[in-house]
Amino acid sequence: MPKIKKRGMKRTFSDADFEARVTEFVKRAKENPDWAEDLMLKLGEKFRKRSELPKTDPNYINPVSLKNYFVPIQKLLEMNRVTISWKRIRCTLPEPDNQDDTREYTYSEIQKMLHHSKLIDRVLILLAASSGIRAGAFSIKWKHLVPIYLYNENYLWEDQDVTESVEYDGRIVAAMIRIYANSNSEYVAFVTPECWNTIESYKRLWIQETNKEPKPDDPFFKKSG
């Protein structure tokens, strides 16, 4: 059984209030759809301003990806029969730059790259494809990557929750990565089990080459030489 959470222990990721916040959001949206629509409009405006930042700014968002931020929220509200004007909301978003040829890779293209890549390149490809991480955010440490276990119908990832029983009997369903950790721009993204398995292979190679386990504060990508 997972250990009982210790009182006063600071949790690494924002998780405890997530379900409660979602429930509260849906309840209020049902009671006042205009409030929910106004909230989405304000969110769209904030995203629009971030899309106008220099591309080197950590807060920059590519206009091409903006609509993806609203997809899960729209699905959540529609499944709970909350109707708002998504067409109006999307009109607040900037038009994608037609000269920006940055599209996502297809599944077959990713598989082809993986087939012809070395281990470290596969880690890079799967990290980028899973999390959407930008080129300037790859300066991560080992402690910034955490596996998520499904155990007895619960998702567990905190040190105090992931016991030997969880590691042995649980199933890794994803992993979290802290991007721009310890900065004002920090956020959490997710990677696939396939990506995590590749990271585990990379860790074994790291140990083989250095004769030691990587420490939490070690750079994830080992310098050559």
Side-chain angles (χ1 to χ4, degrees):
M1 294 292 292
K3 297 177 182 177
I4 297 174
K5 299 181 178 110
K6 298 178 182 179
R7 290 186 178 181
M9 180 175 289
K10 182 179 179 181
R11 302 186 68 82
T12 307
F13 299 100
S14 299
D15 67 309
D17 297 331
F18 181 74
E19 185 174 352
R21 289 177 182 274
V22 171
T23 302
E24 180 184 352
F25 170 69
V26 171
K27 180 177 182 294
R28 187 168 178 182
K30 282 184 175 181
E31 296 171 349
N32 190 352
D34 289 341
W35 167 84
E37 185 170 316
D38 184 60
L39 182 64
M40 293 299 101
L41 288 169
K42 290 178 179 177
L43 183 60
E45 176 64 17
K46 287 185 177 292
F47 283 159
R48 185 189 63 77
K49 290 180 179 178
R50 288 179 62 180
S51 73
E52 296 172 351
L53 293 171
K55 292 185 178 181
T56 54
D57 192 301
N59 289 312
Y60 169 77
I61 297 180
N62 191 322
V64 175
S65 64
L66 280 179
K67 63 179 180 180
N68 297 331
Y69 288 87
F70 289 97
V71 171
I73 304 176
Q74 181 177 356
K75 187 68 174 179
L76 173 69
L77 293 181
E78 288 178 348
M79 291 297 291
N80 286 278
R81 299 180 180 178
V82 179
T83 302
I84 62 177
S85 177
W86 288 103
K87 183 176 181 180
R88 182 186 175 204
I89 294 165
R90 290 193 173 90
C91 285
T92 65
L93 302 179
E95 291 293 329
D97 185 356
N98 292 329
Q99 295 181 352
D100 187 355
D101 196 27
T102 56
R103 65 166 177 82
E104 67 272 16
Y105 288 108
T106 64
Y107 180 79
S108 61
E109 287 172 339
I110 293 173
Q111 289 301 313
K112 185 178 293 185
M113 287 189 288
L114 293 173
H115 181 71
H116 296 283
S117 298
K118 297 179 180 179
L119 178 59
I120 184 62
D121 297 321
R122 291 201 296 273
V123 172
L124 284 165
I125 291 168
L126 290 171
L127 269 177
S130 295
S131 68
I133 190 173
R134 296 200 294 273
F138 275 100
S139 57
I140 55 179
K141 299 179 180 180
W142 281 95
K143 65 182 180 182
H144 297 152
L145 282 155
V146 180
I148 302 173
Y149 292 86
L150 179 60
Y151 180 79
N152 288 342
E153 300 184 357
N154 293 309
Y155 295 101
L156 305 172
W157 58 85
E158 297 286 354
D159 289 340
Q160 67 267 27
D161 296 335
V162 178
T163 62
E164 290 184 1
S165 296
V166 173
E167 290 180 338
Y168 185 79
D169 295 322
R171 178 168 61 92
I172 294 178
V173 293
M176 287 189 294
I177 174 173
R178 292 173 60 195
I179 301 174
Y180 301 121
N182 302 319
S183 74
N184 293 332
S185 303
E186 177 176 346
Y187 66 96
V188 174
F190 298 91
V191 299
T192 63
E194 179 186 9
C195 180
W196 180 255
N197 291 336
T198 307
I199 290 171
E200 289 284 82
S201 298
Y202 170 63
K203 183 178 181 180
R204 289 192 290 271
L205 178 62
W206 169 295
I207 295 172
Q208 180 182 339
E209 291 181 344
T210 63
N211 294 316
K212 63 178 183 180
E213 288 264 354
K215 297 179 180 179
D217 282 307
D218 281 339
F220 180 77
F221 292 105
K222 181 171 62 68
K223 294 182 179 179
S224 58

